[in-house]
């Protein structure tokens, strides 16, 4: 364990998500002991968000997605404090939290995002969301309740109970729709219902799913979803949600007991209220080095930041992948600023984008290469395992990776082989 110097600059990172943890690990690594690095998070776990949809349908346990933060920082020299930041006092360099004030010399805001309801009436009250561990548990409970209700009801009630409307066909909506379509019919059969009673409806404002994605990839993803039985409602604007009803601008009303809103994200409320200049998604505008303008000791990264690619002017997508890159970049810039070096402009660079379409297919690109089908799914799983390796080395990757991917054919095969070997000895 590194010795923390009491007079070392205090670097406080609020948010132990993808960006915050990457920044903390980089700052603690080569400069071990040089800085007092504290990570503050409202939870005592790091959430593997990109597998939330799998936990929502019960493919993996929700707990498997929560990595204890104290374990992750053990031996790194990073200090962890569980507290919820309530406001930022930039003049006095203090983060106010529900556990008392935390002073800093350098602050990194990495508080991520929350679901944006786009001020549509009823979304907040009557739709479920998919962003947190609580959301997963609520959606799982809703699915279980719907199945139980349908099992003891007449046909009309059963149909409505087993209709699931997902509003928003970006990555989260598409991944969730595919998992539900793959899993729920089996679950219905398991309680004695016809699998054909399950109806998954994916509603999207654009005239195609995955807005902003390449047309061929969209066509492939749409075909896979439709083969799984997902009904696509495209060019459909949701105007209101009521209990059991989704109202569309066309006048059509979709009746469904379970409605999930996946229509986008916006920065957390504390960022919006911080007084920092904000852009789209209420995210904080940053300069080229990821520092907040007029606050050279405050940096903002990940979904909380509004970043443009200096080459194309395009807005960087809120994503785990870019949050990690920004965490590393901000660590290098803080180190440079504190040691008389030259902070470097951050340029968003994504290795590729992959969207899963159930357990056996995905689509996307890796660099200039388009990938789809089982190969893309393998690459997607590989990228998740790689992330676990980065966080906790081969041990975490193996331990969590197997827990997270027990449903994945190669892992199932590996586990079956292990069991056979164990039984034969
Ligand atoms: C279902 C789903 C699938 C996804 N799939 C992918 C994918 O395949 N690839 C990809 O790149 N991205 C994916 N994403 C997006 C990705 O998860 C986010 O972009 C990423 O988590 C952003 O990282 P971050 O560090 O900015 O914030 P987060 O990872 O959200 O971390 C923010 C942290 O801040 C903490 N926090 C928030 N407010 C406070 C406060 N006031 N006080 C203290 N702590 C606070 C939170 O508890 C959290 O730990 C997916 C997201 C979802 C929901």
């Amino acid at each position: 364990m590194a010795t923390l110097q009491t007079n070392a600059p205090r670097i406080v990172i609020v948010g132990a998500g993808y960006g915050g943890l990457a920044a903390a690990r980089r700052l603690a690594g080569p400069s071990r002991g040089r800085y007092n690095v504290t990570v503050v998070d409202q939870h005592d776990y790091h959430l593997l968000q990109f597998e939330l949809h799998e936990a929502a349908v019960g493919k993996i346990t929700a707990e498997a997605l929560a990595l204890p933060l104290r374990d992750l920082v053990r031996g790194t020299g990073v200090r962890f404090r569980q507290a919820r930041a309530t406001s930022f006092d930039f003049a006095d360099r203090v983060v106010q939290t529900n556990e008392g004030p935390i002073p800093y010399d350098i602050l990194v805001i990495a508080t991520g995002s929350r679901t944006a309801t786009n001020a549509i009436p009823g979304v907040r009250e009557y739709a479920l969301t998919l962003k947190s561990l609580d959301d997963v548990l609520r959606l799982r409970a809703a699915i279980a309740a719907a199945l139980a209700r349908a099992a003891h009801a007449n046909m009309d009630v059963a149909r409505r109970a087993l209709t699931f409307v997902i509003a928003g066909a970006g990555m989260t909506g598409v991944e969730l729709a595919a998992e539900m379509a793959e899993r729920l019919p089996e679950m219905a059969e398991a309680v004695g219902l016809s699998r054909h009673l399950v109806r998954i409806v994916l509603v999207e404002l654009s005239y195609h799913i995955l807005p902003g994605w390449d047309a061929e990839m969209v066509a492939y993803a749409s075909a896979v979803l439709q083969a799984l039985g997902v009904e696509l409602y495209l060019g459909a604007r949701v105007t209101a949600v009521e209990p059991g009803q989704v109202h569309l601008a066309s006048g059509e009303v979709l009746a469904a007991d379970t409605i999930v809103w996946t229509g986008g994200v916006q920065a957390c409320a504390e960022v919006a209220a911080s007084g920092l200049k904000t852009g789209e998604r209420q995210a904080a505008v940053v300069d080229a080095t990821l520092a907040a303008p007029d606050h050279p000791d405050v940096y903002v990264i990940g979904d909380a930041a509004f970043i443009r690619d200096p080459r194309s002017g395009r807005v960087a997508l809120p994503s785990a992948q870019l949050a990690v890159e920004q965490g590393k970049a901000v660590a290098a810039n803080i180190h440079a600023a504190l040691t008389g070096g030259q902070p470097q402009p951050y340029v968003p660079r994504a290795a590729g984008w992959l969207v899963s379409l159930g357990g056996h297919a995905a689509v996307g690109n890796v660099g200039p290469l388009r990938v789809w089908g089982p190969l893309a799914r393998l690459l997607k799983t590989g990228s998740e395992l790689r992330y676990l390796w980065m966080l906790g080395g081969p041990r975490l990757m193996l331990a969590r990776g197997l827990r997270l991917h027990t449903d994945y054919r190669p892992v199932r095969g590996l586990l079956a082989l292990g069991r056979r070997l164990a039984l034969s000895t």
Side-chain angles (χ1 to χ4, degrees):
M1 169 93 184
T3 320
L4 295 175
Q5 295 171 21
T6 45
N7 57 350
R10 294 161 303 178
I11 303 174
V12 173
I13 300 169
V14 183
Y18 291 87
L21 269 190
R25 295 175 67 86
R26 270 293 159 106
L27 280 162
S31 41
R32 205 166 260 224
R34 192 195 281 246
Y35 310 123
N36 279 326
V37 182
T38 304
V39 176
V40 181
D41 202 289
Q42 58 194 343
H43 300 126
D44 62 356
Y45 55 82
H46 169 73
L47 185 62
L48 297 171
Q49 284 185 44
F50 44 52
E51 298 190 46
L52 288 177
H53 51 287
E54 296 186 20
V57 298
K59 194 160 153 184
I60 52 178
T61 65
E63 300 74 42
L65 299 180
L67 305 180
L69 278 167
R70 289 189 178 83
D71 291 352
L72 288 182
V73 302
R74 187 169 298 133
T76 62
V78 174
R79 210 185 300 222
F80 167 63
R81 277 189 66 174
Q82 187 176 356
R84 185 167 50 78
T86 49
S87 62
F88 303 105
D89 181 348
F90 300 128
D92 292 331
R93 292 182 166 176
V94 171
V95 179
Q96 302 294 348
T97 80
N98 62 333
E99 298 291 338
I102 303 177
Y104 65 83
D105 297 308
I106 301 276
L107 173 65
V108 180
I109 300 176
T111 46
S113 54
R114 59 191 157 135
T115 303
T117 59
N118 303 344
I120 297 173
V123 169
R124 192 172 299 289
E125 295 83 353
Y126 308 118
L128 299 168
T129 48
L130 190 64
K131 193 74 186 103
S132 66
L133 215 49
D134 285 346
D135 289 347
V136 165
L137 296 174
R138 271 192 287 267
L139 182 48
R140 255 175 102 149
I143 292 171
L147 287 164
R149 216 166 34 250
H152 304 288
N154 65 38
M155 205 45 98
D156 281 350
V157 173
R159 271 188 217 289
R160 198 183 159 111
L162 294 184
T163 300
F164 300 84
V165 172
I166 302 166
M171 273 180 83
T172 302
V174 165
E175 291 190 331
L176 178 64
E179 282 304 333
M180 289 177 86
E182 209 171 74
R183 194 85 175 172
L184 267 49
E186 275 172 29
M187 291 166 81
E189 277 182 341
V191 293
L193 291 159
S194 160
R195 61 187 297 120
H196 302 294
L197 281 173
V198 174
R199 197 176 160 215
I200 313 288
V201 183
L202 182 59
V203 179
E204 168 57 43
L205 173 63
S206 301
Y207 286 93
H208 53 82
I209 62 167
L210 296 171
W213 282 57
D214 169 286
E216 270 188 46
M217 297 185 196
V218 169
Y220 177 82
S222 305
V224 173
L225 287 180
Q226 281 167 325
L228 286 169
V230 176
E231 291 173 42
L232 301 180
Y233 270 63
L234 303 174
R237 178 189 293 276
V238 174
T239 52
V241 176
E242 288 182 358
Q245 291 189 330
V246 178
H247 293 261
L248 303 180
S250 61
E252 194 170 348
V253 179
L254 300 172
D257 280 3
T258 309
I259 300 158
V260 190
W261 177 257
T262 50
V265 293
Q266 66 187 50
C268 286
E270 294 75 20
V271 170
S274 66
L276 293 178
K277 188 175 171 220
T278 55
E280 281 170 26
R281 296 181 284 107
Q282 295 183 1
V285 173
V286 288
D287 68 16
T289 67
L290 301 175
D294 308 325
H295 298 281
D297 50 355
V298 178
Y299 296 82
V300 192
I301 57 171
D303 287 9
F306 178 71
I307 298 169
R308 275 190 197 281
D309 187 328
R311 299 162 304 182
S312 63
R314 280 205 188 156
V315 178
L317 273 183
S319 67
Q321 181 183 175
L322 293 183
V324 169
E325 292 308 311
Q326 289 154 23
K328 293 177 186 170
V330 89
N333 281 348
I334 290 172
H335 184 60
L338 291 173
T339 53
Q342 186 62 45
Q344 297 298 311
Y346 164 74
V347 179
R349 280 196 188 90
W353 300 101
L354 292 164
V355 58
S356 67
L357 302 164
H360 312 294
V363 65
N365 71 292
V366 178
L369 290 181
R370 282 192 190 141
V371 283
W372 57 89
L375 171 67
R377 191 67 186 83
L378 183 68
L379 292 170
K380 173 102 178 154
T381 305
S383 71
E384 291 160 5
L385 294 177
R386 189 169 152 262
Y387 179 66
L388 288 174
W389 180 296
M390 190 199 91
L391 275 187
R395 248 174 91 177
L396 181 71
M397 190 201 76
L398 276 174
R400 279 294 156 146
L402 286 179
R403 244 177 107 181
L404 292 172
H405 298 289
T406 44
D407 210 49
Y408 188 50
R409 266 184 215 147
V411 173
R412 263 202 329 243
L414 213 65
L415 290 174
L417 182 70
R419 269 195 299 274
R420 228 173 293 151
L421 287 175
L423 284 176
S424 63
T425 53

